[in-house]
Amino acid sequence: MDNTHFGEDYHEYFDARKYLEMKQKYWDEDRQFHDLLFRMKEKGYLSGEWLLEIGGGPCINRLISLTDVFPKIVFAEYTAAGRKEVQKWKENEPGAFDWSKHFKHVAGLHNAKKNWEDLEQMLRERIIEVIPCDVESEHIIKQENGRLFDAIVIASCLEFACSTRDSYESSVRKVYSMIRPGGTLVHFGRIGGHYYNVGNEKFFALDVDEKFVTSAYEKAGFEIKEKFRINEGDKASTQVDDHNDNKQIADAQFRMLMIAKKPANSEE
């Protein structure tokens, strides 16, 4: 992979704070994600008690639309730097990243029935654990009770954490085994491309297409319910880093949001 970082390189080269600063360029993409996930919630796809996010990086924004659904949320992230930023936000510490724009938008989707600050505090209280994860390990997270989750969110993770398509499919099978029968999977990831940049550091991305991603989940046993393309042929591949000689941040073709269910009659 030449000078492109992967795997354990993240512990040394991934700057969580620079990543968060870069995320601000993706507001249009995030807004579309919030809107679509809110619609999926309203359609009844998401319910239960326990929610897990796998590989969330230093970002809590993928959870905001689901805050009022799941009272117990586990946030799992590979890097200590990412976990530190999430923990800092959870504890409302000085210098924590400001996600208020996201909370205000999601609160607005509730037709003024939600106060954004109340929603923010609710998520802080409902994230009960911030723990390590590794999708290429035998067990993605370490837990003694073998809990099955009512829903799992996996966003911008597998294409960066898996070096091959076989590894990707293996990780999806492990995710399947962590969801209760009848539970829901929220997948959000990039389609196409080979890298993304954080500051001066370049990180590997597995080049996957929509057909492969869909097939990987179906082969694991999931039933695909909804799929959406975000920023197709537009901002997915054209965002640039203004602080780094206008270097392109990523080379993805577009992002895909997918809702899938584990069949209710499946074996645990």
Side-chain angles (χ1 to χ4, degrees):
M1 297 179 190
D2 301 321
N3 294 322
T4 303
H5 302 308
F6 178 76
E8 293 187 358
D9 294 344
Y10 271 81
H11 299 305
E12 180 176 356
Y13 295 103
F14 181 75
D15 189 321
R17 198 66 193 188
K18 284 185 179 179
Y19 182 84
L20 287 169
E21 293 170 358
M22 179 186 75
K23 275 290 292 177
Q24 297 181 76
K25 288 183 167 289
Y26 285 85
W27 167 245
D28 184 61
E29 175 183 299
D30 288 337
R31 178 190 56 77
Q32 292 179 67
F33 174 88
H34 291 317
D35 293 352
L36 288 169
L37 192 56
F38 184 83
R39 280 170 49 192
M40 297 302 97
K41 180 179 70 172
E42 293 294 289
K43 290 181 73 170
Y45 285 124
L46 294 135
S47 63
E49 183 178 17
W50 286 93
L51 170 66
L52 169 67
E53 176 161 14
I54 296 173
C59 305
I60 54 83
N61 56 312
R62 307 300 182 201
L63 299 171
I64 297 174
S65 292
L66 305 179
T67 299
D68 60 340
V69 178
F70 298 95
K72 298 177 181 179
I73 300 173
V74 177
F75 186 96
E77 159 56 12
Y78 181 65
T79 68
R83 297 193 300 272
K84 181 179 179 181
E85 287 292 340
V86 171
Q87 193 68 46
K88 186 188 297 185
W89 177 85
K90 172 177 163 54
E91 301 300 329
N92 200 15
E93 296 178 5
F97 191 75
D98 181 8
W99 294 103
S100 59
K101 183 175 184 178
H102 295 257
F103 282 97
K104 289 174 182 177
H105 180 78
V106 173
L109 297 175
H110 290 84
N111 295 320
K113 295 178 182 178
K114 295 283 185 183
N115 177 286
W116 76 266
E117 291 172 309
D118 292 341
L119 193 64
E120 183 180 52
Q121 184 58 32
M122 181 185 292
L123 182 55
R124 286 192 170 108
E125 294 172 356
R126 291 190 167 192
I127 296 177
I128 59 174
E129 287 186 290
V130 179
I131 62 173
C133 69
D134 184 348
V135 298
E136 292 207 310
S137 292
E138 181 180 358
H139 302 288
I140 293 177
I141 62 172
K142 294 180 180 179
Q143 55 174 353
E144 296 180 359
N145 56 17
R147 175 186 299 114
L148 295 180
F149 291 88
D150 299 295
I152 291 179
V153 174
I154 186 159
S156 300
C157 173
L158 294 184
E159 61 269 34
F160 303 134
C162 300
S163 58
T164 67
R165 290 191 169 197
D166 286 344
S167 173
Y168 190 108
E169 291 180 332
S170 174
S171 295
V172 171
R173 289 193 296 270
K174 285 181 280 189
V175 171
Y176 181 86
S177 72
M178 299 168 70
I179 298 181
R180 68 163 173 82
T184 305
L185 184 285
V186 178
H187 168 93
F188 182 68
R190 55 183 270 161
I191 298 296
H194 302 86
Y195 71 89
Y196 74 102
N197 293 302
V198 180
N200 292 318
E201 306 300 338
K202 186 177 183 180
F203 293 87
F204 167 83
L206 183 65
D207 186 8
V208 294
D209 54 53
E210 183 176 349
K211 181 178 179 181
F212 167 77
V213 173
T214 303
S215 174
Y217 281 93
E218 289 178 333
K219 287 197 293 186
F222 285 104
E223 296 175 347
I224 309 302
K225 297 299 183 181
E226 305 269 1
K227 286 196 302 181
F228 306 92
R229 292 183 176 190
I230 295 178
N231 283 349
E232 183 177 11
D234 186 17
K235 297 181 180 179
S237 61
T238 58
Q239 293 286 4
V240 296
D241 184 350
D242 296 333
H243 302 291
N244 195 19
D245 299 324
N246 286 331
K247 182 167 63 177
Q248 187 169 298
I249 290 175
D251 64 343
Q253 295 173 15
F254 60 91
R255 266 65 172 184
M256 182 174 73
L257 173 64
M258 183 170 69
I259 306 297
K261 299 286 285 188
K262 183 173 182 175
N265 60 357
S266 63
E267 295 183 3
E268 296 187 1

